[in-house]
Amino acid sequence: MADNENQPALGVVRAVHGDESEELIRLVSVFDDLQYVLRCCEHLVTALAAPDQGPARVDTDDALVEALWTGSLVGYARCFSEETNVLTEPDLAGLETDADTTSFHRSTITLRDHLISRDTNPRETVTIGAAEDDDGRPAGVAIVAIPTPTVNDATVRLVGRIAYGLSELIDERIQSTQRQVLTAAEELPAQEFTKLPELHLSDTQ
């Protein structure tokens, strides 16, 4: 995302409201979510790596892998919220991947819904049976739990590539919208601008 390194030091900062500012808020929030997805994917790649592929930054643990994978899908899906309407499926068309990005995107959203189910355990499917003895009679109860296959390295890397490409797209929009916000602020009369509420940057550190 664009930084302020080449800009002059700021004095008083005032809150600017308007359509441009609201759009910039949505863009920055989505950019942050995409960066979160990228961090989750980076940790997942090392967690899923074989021991001979170098030192891992995190321990390989089923619970950790599930948490990182679920978190990455939740963050990814939120970027396509119909409420904020920042990213939509057509935005996927320009990304450079070898996969059918739109189909993969849809399956990813479906998987997110499965993983965050309020009612069903997403980790395994349980079936109950009765064990048979030598006489062909029920002799006990068998609980058969079939685990859901865990995510693989290729899938994680594809999500990461998509999130990276979308980050670049959102960054371009952020820079364009920043210019629109500045233009809107510059067009305000001086007296009106100085009456805008002051933002205390020390409170955000």
Side-chain angles (χ1 to χ4, degrees):
M1 186 165 57
D3 57 42
N4 298 319
E5 289 183 0
N6 298 322
Q7 296 183 5
L10 299 176
V12 174
V13 177
R14 300 192 180 280
V16 179
H17 301 289
D19 293 341
E20 301 87 354
S21 297
E22 293 299 320
E23 175 65 10
L24 186 55
I25 289 171
R26 290 191 290 269
L27 287 168
V28 171
S29 296
V30 167
F31 185 87
D32 181 71
D33 259 333
L34 290 169
Q35 296 305 297
Y36 169 76
V37 172
L38 283 170
R39 290 194 297 273
C40 286
C41 288
E42 288 173 358
H43 287 305
L44 275 167
V45 167
T46 57
L48 295 170
D52 61 351
Q53 293 179 331
R57 295 195 299 270
V58 294
D59 294 329
T60 301
D61 176 86
D62 289 343
L64 178 61
V65 168
E66 180 187 342
L68 287 169
W69 182 229
T70 301
S72 65
L73 294 188
V74 169
Y76 175 84
R78 190 163 50 229
C79 295
F80 289 85
S81 167
E82 294 181 357
E83 182 72 22
T84 57
N85 197 33
V86 172
L87 286 173
T88 59
E89 283 191 2
D91 290 317
L92 300 166
L95 301 183
E96 296 181 0
T97 65
D98 297 329
D100 182 345
T101 308
T102 300
S103 295
F104 180 78
H105 162 80
R106 292 174 181 173
S107 65
T108 298
I109 300 299
T110 299
L111 181 57
R112 183 283 308 261
D113 294 340
H114 171 70
L115 290 176
I116 65 171
S117 171
R118 296 182 178 181
D119 308 306
T120 305
N121 178 354
R123 288 176 296 281
E124 60 185 11
T125 301
V126 179
T127 304
I128 304 300
E132 183 180 325
D133 64 14
D134 294 337
D135 297 325
R137 299 295 301 163
V141 174
I143 301 175
V144 181
I146 302 176
T148 301
T150 188
V151 64
N152 56 54
D153 180 83
T155 300
V156 171
R157 290 181 183 276
L158 180 52
V159 171
R161 288 199 299 273
I162 293 173
Y164 181 80
L166 292 173
S167 293
E168 292 186 322
L169 176 66
I170 292 297
D171 188 35
E172 293 176 0
R173 295 180 184 176
I174 285 174
Q175 295 183 52
S176 174
T177 308
Q178 281 180 321
R179 290 191 290 270
Q180 294 175 25
V181 170
L182 181 57
T183 298
E186 290 173 339
E187 291 176 349
L188 289 173
Q191 288 185 333
E192 186 175 339
F193 177 74
T194 56
K195 291 181 180 179
L196 294 175
E198 182 178 345
L199 292 178
H200 299 282
L201 300 184
S202 60
D203 295 337
T204 65
Q205 301 301 315

